[in-house]
């Protein structure tokens, strides 16, 4: 399935791969003084440079000429659509877990999910909030809800106006099943409408490229302002070259796309992890 990340993060186009952006990683300081009091130097705001990492995704399907001539449907259009869909799936995985080796750098790249750790604005890594339980978001349903509420509280107010949850369907189903001590569901259950599309008032985005709640170091949930946290940079859109010469009797559809990504504001996103601390 196609990743929803492109719909929620920042997206830009670039005419070069030399894409850099300055982000603020420190605040200026101030103080109150009297009329004749001396003024010492105060802390200055600081900047860090972010650099986009690019990669190229390609496909080269081969279709025999007889198929192109005799099929009762538009084979070339069908191949084009299938390749475009595959590209969308491949880049969705890269934007989440990419290591930067001939592909974009993903949101989770470089994070140690085994322990809680604050955001590092200089290095450009997001805060990890570890639930402290192997294979669960809490020791019981009540603690799970409390842990998720703590994630919201850990997000600065300025990021909340556009904040969203992101998880896969398996994790979403686990949250829908959470119950109070009286047996009532914490989240709305409605078989007519989509069940529980919001949590603590924030939209839930389903991304099946994400981990489920499983043993080991996993990241089943993210929360924050994705548009301020991460940027996709399109360098060259999908292009296709039709090659009927290399292999006589068949047509090779060489298709490619170049895209990159980078962290913007490392403080804008929280990564919720599960594992033993």
């Amino acid at each position: 399935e196609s990743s929803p990340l492109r719909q929620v993060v920042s997206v830009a186009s670039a005419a070069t791969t030399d894409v850099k952006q300055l982000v603020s990683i420190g605040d200026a300081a101030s103080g109150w003084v009297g009329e004749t009091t001396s003024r010492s130097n105060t802390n200055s705001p600081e900047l860090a440079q972010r650099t986009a990492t690019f990669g190229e995704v390609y496909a080269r399907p081969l279709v025999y000429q007889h198929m192109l001539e005799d099929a009762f449907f538009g084979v070339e259009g069908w191949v084009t659509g299938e390749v475009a869909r595959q590209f969308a799936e491949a880049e969705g995985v890269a934007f989440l877990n990419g290591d930067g080796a001939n592909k974009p750098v993903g949101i989770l790249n470089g994070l140690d999910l085994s322990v809680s750790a604050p955001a590092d604005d200089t290095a450009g890594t997001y805060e990890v909030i570890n639930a402290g339980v192997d294979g669960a978001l809490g020791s019981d349903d009540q603690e799970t809800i409390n842990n998720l509420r703590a994630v919201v509280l850990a997000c600065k107010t300025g990021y909340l106006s556009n904040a969203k949850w992101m998880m896969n369907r398996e994790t979403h189903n686990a949250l829908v099943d959470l119950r109070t001590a009286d047996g009532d569901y914490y989240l709305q259950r409605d078989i007519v409408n989509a069940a529980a599309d919001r949590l603590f008032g924030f939209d839930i985005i389903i991304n099946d490229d994400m981990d489920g709640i499983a043993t080991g170091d996993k990241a089943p949930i993210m929360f924050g302002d994705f548009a301020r946290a991460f940027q996709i940079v399109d360098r060259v859109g999908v292009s296709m070259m039709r090659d009927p010469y290399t292999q006589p009797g068949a047509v090779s559809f060489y298709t490619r796309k170049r895209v990159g990504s980078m962290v913007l504001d490392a403080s804008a996103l929280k990564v919720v992890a599960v594992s033993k601390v």
Side-chain angles (χ1 to χ4, degrees):
E1 297 184 11
S2 298
S3 169
L5 275 170
R6 186 175 278 274
Q7 281 71 55
V8 296
V9 302
S10 173
V11 180
S13 297
T16 174
T17 56
D18 187 22
V19 177
K20 297 179 174 64
Q21 190 159 174
L22 293 175
V23 296
S24 177
I25 61 171
D27 297 325
S30 61
W32 296 99
V33 295
E35 180 182 359
T36 60
T37 307
S38 62
R39 275 79 167 167
S40 59
N41 290 334
T42 60
N43 289 337
S44 301
E46 297 181 9
L47 294 170
Q49 181 174 272
R50 303 278 193 255
T51 302
T53 302
F54 287 85
E56 179 175 330
V57 60
Y58 88 99
R60 194 183 178 189
L62 186 74
V63 182
Y64 287 101
Q65 189 68 47
H66 285 193
M67 177 67 175
L68 293 171
E69 294 169 347
D70 298 341
F72 64 88
F73 65 96
V75 174
E76 188 167 341
W78 171 72
V79 169
T80 301
E82 288 296 299
V83 169
R85 180 178 60 81
Q86 173 58 35
F87 281 6
E89 295 174 4
E91 71 174 17
V93 174
F95 295 148
L96 187 65
N97 295 304
D99 58 6
N102 298 322
K103 63 176 70 70
V105 171
I107 291 174
L108 301 179
N109 183 63
L111 295 182
D112 182 358
L113 302 177
S114 65
V115 294
S116 295
D120 187 330
D121 287 319
T122 302
T125 55
Y126 304 107
E127 179 176 0
V128 175
I129 301 176
N130 194 293
V133 181
D134 191 22
L137 292 167
S139 58
D140 54 33
D141 289 3
Q142 178 65 58
E143 185 176 85
T144 297
I145 289 295
N146 289 341
N147 287 343
L148 294 177
R149 184 180 291 112
V151 174
V152 177
L153 294 175
C155 192
K156 293 180 180 179
T157 303
Y159 299 122
L160 293 179
S161 61
N162 195 40
K164 295 175 176 61
W165 298 95
M166 185 172 287
M167 63 191 73
N168 68 16
R169 278 197 295 266
E170 177 189 347
T171 302
H172 179 254
N173 287 335
L175 297 186
V176 170
D177 286 337
L178 295 177
R179 304 190 188 202
T180 67
D182 297 326
D184 298 323
Y185 292 106
Y186 280 105
L187 278 67
Q188 173 189 354
R189 289 180 64 92
D190 187 343
I191 62 173
V192 177
N193 300 309
D197 58 354
R198 293 170 68 84
L199 177 61
F200 300 126
F202 300 98
D203 291 339
I204 298 175
I205 307 298
I206 300 299
N207 182 354
D208 279 320
D209 291 326
M210 293 185 63
D211 295 330
I213 303 173
T215 58
D217 297 338
K218 305 293 182 182
I221 294 177
M222 296 187 293
F223 176 77
D225 187 339
F226 288 84
R228 291 179 63 174
F230 192 74
Q231 185 172 69
I232 294 170
V233 185
D234 290 321
R235 174 63 188 91
V236 176
V238 177
S239 62
M240 175 179 286
M241 181 178 69
R242 196 177 191 273
D243 175 16
Y245 306 108
T246 301
Q247 184 171 333
V251 177
S252 175
F253 294 94
Y254 176 61
T255 313
R256 60 190 288 269
K257 180 180 182 180
R258 294 174 66 192
V259 65
S261 65
M262 62 180 168
V263 173
L264 293 180
D265 188 346
S267 297
L269 190 65
K270 312 298 180 186
V271 176
V272 182
V274 295
S275 71
K276 286 289 187 184
V277 177

